[in-house]
Amino acid sequence: MATAVRNVRSLMNISRFMIQSTACKASAVSVVHSRRISSLNRCPNFTNQLRPMQPQQIQKRFAGKNVYTIEEVEKRVMITLQLFDKIDPEKLTKDSHFIKDLGLDSLDQVEIIMAMEDDFDFEIPDDDAERLMTPALIIEYICDKEDTYE
Amino acid sequence: MSVRKEVLGLYRKIFRLSRNWQSADSSQTAAEKQYIKDEARVLFRKNQNITDENEIREHIKEANIRIEMALHYKTPYPRHVNIPQNVLAPLTSKLKKAQKRKIKESIPLYWKSYEDVTK
């Protein structure tokens, strides 16, 4: 029992010594290597990205453009419409016509389209804007003009 | 282009103007943006039941003048007008017909939508 303990202790000492020595060697080697590596690594920001990418991490990236899904577009359109003070949120559905169902007039419809332009940050020309009379049409138009995916 | 389309295009133009508005005094930019939107709403709604096409065209001219003056003078507020000479001030004394006519003639087109001072 005592011998076992002594053996274990000596083994531990030996292992510690060996680790320290190998650590020294390793650190010596790594100093040399790290100097070489640091001289190669002039662009540290990019070497972070040179890891192999997993397939599910790959994203579409457009320069500065937003990528939406259809549900996001729908949600944002409906929220913007509910915030409009002349619209009764109870009556608002995707297919409610602004003029016939919700009792707004053409000036209000212009304001609504302007609010959509502000929200999604792109211009809607006058000819297209005057035929967008229900939320469903607006959602469809935005999905056509912006890149949306399912 | 039909009058209706012109009017809606004007309304849109004014809102786009308010979006990119920069005031000469930078602390007033938000207040002036809100003013442009509110004035447009109030005045367009006030005049929305006019049916005579010539009247509507005059109001379209009025809106265009307001837009151009706002862009030129860097302020959305309309410039007030003085009463012409030899006319008594409307609020302090009753006006005669000729004086009323003179005041009405002196008011420029961009004050058309506002209340008639002579009444």
Side-chain angles (χ1 to χ4, degrees), chain B residues 83 88-95 103 116-119:
Chain B
I83 303 171
L88 299 169
L91 294 172
T92 53
S93 47
K94 213 163 162 230
L95 291 170
I103 292 181
D116 194 356
V117 182
T118 56
K119 291 221 174 77

Side-chain angles (χ1 to χ4, degrees), chain B:
Chain B
M1 201 170 36
S2 95
V3 179
R4 182 190 185 75
K5 252 194 172 184
E6 275 190 45
V7 169
L8 293 175
L10 256 181
Y11 198 59
R12 200 174 276 122
K13 195 170 172 188
I14 295 176
F15 270 76
R16 290 229 172 95
L17 182 69
S18 101
R19 205 190 273 165
N20 301 324
W21 182 257
Q22 287 291 335
S23 160
D25 173 16
S26 58
S27 64
Q28 294 295 317
T29 297
E32 287 185 2
K33 278 187 185 180
Q34 196 56 38
Y35 169 81
I36 294 173
K37 279 195 253 183
D38 291 339
E39 275 296 287
R41 265 185 218 133
V42 163
L43 293 180
F44 272 75
R45 281 199 194 281
K46 190 170 164 191
N47 297 326
Q48 71 182 353
N49 294 321
I50 298 180
T51 45
D52 180 18
E53 187 175 329
N54 293 327
E55 276 287 300
I56 298 178
R57 289 217 179 270
E58 297 255 297
H59 281 286
I60 292 174
K61 261 197 229 171
E62 175 195 345
N64 278 319
I65 292 174
R66 289 287 301 264
I67 294 172
E68 284 181 29
M69 285 184 66
L71 288 170
H72 180 82
Y73 291 107
K74 306 269 188 325
T75 166
Y77 304 104
R79 188 185 190 283
H80 285 271
V81 196
N82 293 321
I83 303 171
Q85 283 184 336
N86 306 324
V87 173
L88 299 169
L91 294 172
T92 53
S93 47
K94 213 163 162 230
L95 291 170
K96 309 227 175 92
K97 247 197 202 167
Q99 292 171 335
K100 281 191 189 171
R101 189 174 32 95
K102 259 199 165 177
I103 292 181
K104 258 200 193 139
E105 281 171 357
S106 77
I107 296 177
L109 187 57
Y110 56 85
W111 280 101
K112 190 176 162 72
S113 293
Y114 290 86
E115 287 297 323
D116 194 356
V117 182
T118 56
K119 291 221 174 77

Side-chain angles (χ1 to χ4, degrees), chain A residues 81 87 92-93 95-105 108-109 112-113 116 132-136 138:
Chain A
L81 286 174
I87 292 183
L92 181 69
T93 69
D95 289 310
S96 45
H97 196 273
F98 292 135
I99 297 186
K100 294 184 205 156
D101 298 331
L102 296 171
L104 306 172
D105 66 5
D108 292 319
Q109 194 255 352
I112 289 172
I113 302 294
M116 295 296 152
L132 298 175
M133 285 291 176
T134 75
I138 296 178

Side-chain angles (χ1 to χ4, degrees), chain A residues 29-45 47:
Chain A
V29 166
S30 69
V31 160
V32 172
H33 271 295
S34 66
R35 254 197 230 134
R36 284 183 62 195
I37 291 171
S38 65
S39 67
L40 286 173
N41 190 8
R42 286 196 206 107
C43 343
N45 295 329
T47 49

Side-chain angles (χ1 to χ4, degrees), chain A residues 12-26:
Chain A
M12 280 169 63
N13 288 338
I14 290 168
S15 64
R16 206 182 300 146
F17 171 74
M18 280 180 66
I19 288 171
Q20 281 175 353
S21 65
T22 50
C24 284
K25 277 193 213 154

